[in-house]
């Protein structure tokens, strides 16, 4: 078995040996020159470069020391886990060591002594680098496989997580999902997230120890049972949306949800035989270098592509400085067999001297002006070299000219500003009374109501008269008997009818209240 695994690992780079050179020196009719090809690094044992984190704190056994037993020998609980004794400790790194002696070394959790509270553990693997899986992920459990677990993955160094596969002895009960097998998947569902019961059955701890995430079986959907037709796989990886990303990860997380039970029920009187023990996690994959590198090295604690084709970055994800006359593109597996390098081009190599700072792939010669200019500048840029921002955008001072984020939208308030353009620091031009970088505020002595209007009343100069109250700087609410903008006018003077003695008094409080209510209602409706 061990021999077979080694054999497969050894074979893998051979089987996938296509795309292993980035360039070669060739002689053509025009003399010798470099020819460039899409290229990718060889597959590696990724467990050698991983950092691991086990959660929650205190889940690793041995602190304090603890006794445990096994399902084979449930009443002989003589085994001990003791974190302070190297011979009896089971730290996380034992999931990644090489077991040359043939003796399994493993990480082990505490026992399920808190049953029925669930025994939960997360094992998180991080590479700080995008990895493309090329073979199955194989997790080896000693003393039985979990009866429920889940595999999750991240593509952004752990910021967001997505389910990758569910595992349970009863998928419906554990996750409400029907059980499926990867072998049942078709070309259109090859990247489906499913729940499988294949790796959770109790088969005696000695027999079936592994839990797999089946990459090969998914590849086989396209490349045939022995992965003979890799060309077809590469074609599909290029053309099927999301398929390449499905096999790409920066992090993996095993969420262990219920340990092996060794039977149907949990025996409450002997909880020392329930725990997790993982002796190995094999992850085989290659650095994702966007088909711009065939070497990936471990430097300063991280994997790093050795970029060719004048690209740079950890994943060769951008063009080198002075090689940005076209936007960056990943290499392509197509056309077979050598693919397309989609190399970055030196500034000035296309059309005389037309640099587009990576915002355009095309230049065009304008006859009557006798200039070469970039066509269809992207990223909200404009200009002969895509060196300016479009109207309504301004220059991001912390971004270089070839950055995708170089132009920031002005975002001027439509009502408060004269137009949607702004100056080089993002300030919009405001209408009278408006202020703030985006003109969405009012100057002192102005109030906002779909634009800035001068205050009608306030507490200082524009006081409401005769006991009136100022409502949101918009109007004075006048007592009965007074009117005018500032309640400065007595109704008697304006209209003799209003002076008919008792009338005003009788209306009294009710009328005032009604007036206030009406005003407020109107204010609401206006808003
Ligand atoms: C495991 O990780 C998940 C998120 O992926 C989190 O919701 C959960 O609380 C974690 N469990 C433990 C035991 O840390
Ligand atoms: C991750 O990799 C990047 C690029 O190599 C490096 O700058 C950064 O320090 C690394 N982060 C960690 C946590 O190792
Ligand atoms: C990258 O730039 C160098 C010059 O620094 C040039 O010799 C080489 O051909 C370029 N490679 C590609 C793939 O364009
Ligand atoms: C400005 O550019 C930097 C560098 O690319 C970027 O991180 C930042 O998000 C950009 N700012 C805005 C507002 O887009
Ligand atoms: C943009 O306008 C604001 C406000 O008028 C001003 O303070 C700033 O100096 C202007 N920036 C430039 C570069 O003109
Ligand atoms: Ca081990």
């Amino acid at each position: 078995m061990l021999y077979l695994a080694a054999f497969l690992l050894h074979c893998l780079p051979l089987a996938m040996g296509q795309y292993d050179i980035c360039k070669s020196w060739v002689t053509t009719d025009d003399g010798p020159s470099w020819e460039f090809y899409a290229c990718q690094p060889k597959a590696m044992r990724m467990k050698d470069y991983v950092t691991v984190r086990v959660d929650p704190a205190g889940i690793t056994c041995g602190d304090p020391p603890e006794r445990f037993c096994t399902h084979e020998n449930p009443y002989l609980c003589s085994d001990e886990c003791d974190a302070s004794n190297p011979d009896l400790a089971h730290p996380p790194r034992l999931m990644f060591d090489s077991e040359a002696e043939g003796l399994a070394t493993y990480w082990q959790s505490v026992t399920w002594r808190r049953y029925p509270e669930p025994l939960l553990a997360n094992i998180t693997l991080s590479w700080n680098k995008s990895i493309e899986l090329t073979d199955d992920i194989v997790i080896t459990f000693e003393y039985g496989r979990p009866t429920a677990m889940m595999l999750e993955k991240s593509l952004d160094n752990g910021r967001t997580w997505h389910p990758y596969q569910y595992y349970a002895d009863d998928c419906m009960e554990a996750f409400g999902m029907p059980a499926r097998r990867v072998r049942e998947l078709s070309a259109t569902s090859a990247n489906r997230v499913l729940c499988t019961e294949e790796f959770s059955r109790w088969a005696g701890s000695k027999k079936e120890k592994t839990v797999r995430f089946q990459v090969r079986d998914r590849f086989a959907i396209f490349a045939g049972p022995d992965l003979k037709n890799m060309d077809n796989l590469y074609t599909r990886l290029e053309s099927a949306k999301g398929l390449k990303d499905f096999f790409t990860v920066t992090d993996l997380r095993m969420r262990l949800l219920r340990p092996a039970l060794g039977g149907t029920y949990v025996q409450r009187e002997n909880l020392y035989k329930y725990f997790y023990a993982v002796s190995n996690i094999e992850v085989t994959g290659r650095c994702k270098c966007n088909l711009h590198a065939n070497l990936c090295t471990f430097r300063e604690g991280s994997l790093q592509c050795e970029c060719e084709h004048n690209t740079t970055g950890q994943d060769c994800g951008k063009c080198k400085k002075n090689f940005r006359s076209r936007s960056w593109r990943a290499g392509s597996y197509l056309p077979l067999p050598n693919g397309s390098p989609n190399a970055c081009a030196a500034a000035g190599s296309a059309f005389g001297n037309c640099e587009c700072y990576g915002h355009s792939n095309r230049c065009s010669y304008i006859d009557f002006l006798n200039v070469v200019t970039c066509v269809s500048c992207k990223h909200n840029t404009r200009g002969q070299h895509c060196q300016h921002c479009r109207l309504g955008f301004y220059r991001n001072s912390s971004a270089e000219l070839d950055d995708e984020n170089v132009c920031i939208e002005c975002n001027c308030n439509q009502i408060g500003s004269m137009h949607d353009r702004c100056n080089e620091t993002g300030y919009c031009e405001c209408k009278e009374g408006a202020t703030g970088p985006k003109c969405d505020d009012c100057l002192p002595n102005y109030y906002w109501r779909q634009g800035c209007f001068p205050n009608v009343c306030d507490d200082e100069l524009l006081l409401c008269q005769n006991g009136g109250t100022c409502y949101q700087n918009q109007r004075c609410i006048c007592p009965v008997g007074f009117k005018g903008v500032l309640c400065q006018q007595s109704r008697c003077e304006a209209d003799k009818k209003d002076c008919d003695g008792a009338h005003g008094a009788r209306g009294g409080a009710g009328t005032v209240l009604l007036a206030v209510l009406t005003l407020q209602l109107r204010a609401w409706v206006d808003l």
Side-chain angles (χ1 to χ4, degrees):
M1 185 64 204
L2 210 67
Y3 170 77
L4 188 66
F7 175 74
L8 281 177
L9 269 174
H10 178 73
C11 258
L12 197 73
L14 291 179
M16 304 201 166
Q18 224 173 330
Y19 305 110
D20 54 1
I21 54 168
C22 299
K23 60 182 175 193
S24 78
W25 186 243
V26 295
T27 312
T28 63
D29 293 347
D30 304 332
S33 67
W34 284 112
E35 205 167 82
F36 299 100
Y37 317 104
C39 54
Q40 61 188 3
K42 287 192 163 47
M44 308 193 283
R45 268 172 37 160
M46 285 297 166
K47 74 172 184 183
D48 296 345
Y49 310 100
V50 78
T51 43
V52 62
R53 188 191 151 94
V54 177
D55 288 305
I59 189 71
T60 300
C61 69
D63 183 18
E66 189 179 13
R67 279 191 185 285
F68 64 94
C69 29
T70 63
H71 293 293
E72 272 83 36
N73 244 331
Y75 299 104
L76 187 71
C77 299
S78 56
D79 288 329
E80 194 179 357
C81 176
D82 181 351
S84 62
N85 178 342
D87 291 335
L88 300 176
H90 293 282
R93 67 177 164 77
L94 297 183
M95 294 185 276
F96 308 99
D97 59 347
S98 57
E99 291 168 358
E101 315 279 284
L103 199 66
T105 56
Y106 48 90
W107 166 81
Q108 187 176 320
S109 75
V110 294
T111 61
W112 204 357
R113 49 180 190 251
R114 294 230 181 99
Y115 177 86
E117 205 178 288
L119 181 63
L120 302 177
N122 284 355
I123 301 172
T124 306
L125 314 187
S126 306
W127 283 275
N128 189 26
K129 171 81 191 77
S130 315
I131 307 292
E132 291 167 344
L133 300 176
T134 57
D135 205 338
D136 293 4
I137 299 170
V138 185
I139 309 153
T140 310
F141 286 87
E142 304 297 320
Y143 308 111
R145 302 175 292 190
T147 46
M149 70 171 264
M150 195 187 155
L151 189 64
E152 292 182 323
K153 73 160 194 172
S154 172
L155 259 169
D156 53 11
N157 294 316
R159 272 184 288 280
T160 57
W161 290 90
H162 312 278
Y164 214 9
Q165 188 146 312
Y166 297 83
Y167 302 85
D169 53 358
D170 184 336
C171 280
M172 203 37 107
E173 178 219 285
F175 300 111
M177 295 169 80
R180 297 193 63 168
R181 284 164 177 264
V182 169
R183 272 178 225 104
E184 295 160 7
L185 294 175
S186 68
T188 50
S189 61
N191 56 354
R192 177 158 307 167
V193 174
L194 47 79
C195 182
T196 176
E197 296 176 355
E198 276 179 276
F199 303 102
S200 310
R201 291 181 313 263
W202 172 253
S205 64
K206 291 271 153 41
K207 278 203 212 124
E208 293 182 9
K209 298 163 85 163
T210 58
V211 172
R212 284 175 176 264
F213 179 79
Q214 302 117 303
V215 171
R216 275 184 167 253
D217 283 348
R218 291 179 199 256
F219 282 176
I221 297 170
F222 307 108
D226 301 319
L227 304 190
K228 286 233 169 67
N229 189 358
M230 288 302 282
D231 280 1
N232 192 39
L233 173 62
Y234 285 130
T235 305
R236 293 303 287 248
L237 283 173
E238 252 345 298
S239 57
K241 199 164 171 286
L243 193 60
K244 231 182 196 175
D245 277 352
F246 181 78
F247 298 106
T248 308
V249 307
T250 57
D251 304 67
L252 287 168
R253 175 176 288 159
M254 270 141 267
R255 295 178 64 179
L256 309 179
L257 302 170
R258 195 175 56 209
L261 304 184
T264 322
Y265 301 104
V266 177
Q267 289 180 301
R268 305 189 71 132
E269 67 280 6
N270 187 355
L271 295 173
Y272 298 110
K273 61 177 180 173
Y274 305 113
F275 54 86
Y276 306 106
V278 178
S279 57
N280 194 43
I281 302 178
E282 205 65 60
V283 179
T284 310
R286 64 166 58 95
C287 291
K288 173 183 173 173
C289 301
N290 287 299
L291 295 174
H292 289 311
N294 61 352
L295 281 178
C296 185
T297 52
F298 194 61
R299 275 188 276 136
E300 290 146 26
S302 286
L303 287 165
Q304 171 87 45
C305 300
E306 301 290 338
C307 303
E308 302 265 359
H309 303 157
N310 293 312
T311 60
T312 186
Q314 206 185 12
D315 302 350
C316 308
K318 52 186 186 179
C319 292
K320 265 165 62 176
K321 245 193 155 60
N322 302 323
F323 288 91
R324 291 167 180 169
S325 63
R326 288 199 288 259
S327 344
W328 173 91
R329 282 166 69 196
S332 167
Y333 287 124
L334 304 176
L336 299 165
N338 290 330
S340 323
N342 294 336
C344 293
S349 66
F351 290 101
N353 199 13
C354 188
E355 160 103 62
C356 299
Y357 295 103
H359 303 305
S360 166
N361 278 330
R362 274 195 306 142
C363 293
S364 149
Y365 176 66
I366 302 179
D367 212 358
F368 65 94
L369 292 174
N370 190 27
V371 292
V372 177
T373 178
C374 304
V375 177
S376 313
C377 296
K378 287 184 292 188
H379 313 132
N380 304 308
T381 60
R382 64 173 179 91
Q384 187 185 358
H385 303 291
C386 306
Q387 80 276 36
H388 297 306
C389 288
R390 272 173 47 199
L391 288 182
F393 292 81
Y394 68 104
R395 175 76 198 275
N396 179 347
S397 57
S398 55
E400 299 214 30
L401 210 45
D402 53 29
D403 196 310
E404 284 190 14
N405 300 310
V406 68
C407 295
I408 305 175
E409 195 168 2
C410 289
N411 247 326
C412 300
N413 187 292
Q414 292 213 351
I415 299 166
S417 50
M418 310 278 275
H419 43 69
D420 54 15
R421 300 189 291 279
C422 55
N423 75 8
E424 287 126 74
T425 45
Y427 278 78
C428 305
E429 206 179 320
C430 300
K431 289 188 191 157
E432 196 204 326
T435 186
K438 306 299 167 201
C439 307
D440 49 5
D441 261 336
C442 291
L443 289 168
N445 300 324
Y446 285 81
Y447 69 93
W448 181 269
R449 188 161 154 247
Q450 294 181 13
C452 293
F453 293 91
N455 285 352
V456 173
C457 55
D458 60 27
D459 298 336
E460 292 160 27
L461 295 170
L462 299 166
L463 284 171
C464 300
Q465 312 289 306
N466 296 314
T469 52
C470 182
Y471 177 74
Q472 293 182 353
N473 301 110
Q474 292 174 20
R475 64 195 94 187
C476 290
I477 299 170
C478 301
V480 180
F482 293 95
K483 59 188 230 176
V485 175
L486 293 174
C487 315
Q488 74 279 25
Q489 200 175 5
S490 155
R491 284 185 187 270
C492 299
E493 285 166 28
D495 187 346
K496 279 283 172 230
K497 255 202 295 185
D498 278 345
C499 295
D500 286 350
H503 176 78
R506 201 150 31 85
T511 321
V512 176
L513 203 66
L514 203 66
V516 172
L517 269 175
T518 315
L519 267 173
Q520 259 174 2
L521 262 174
R522 266 180 34 209
W524 267 344
V525 172
D526 285 353
L527 281 176

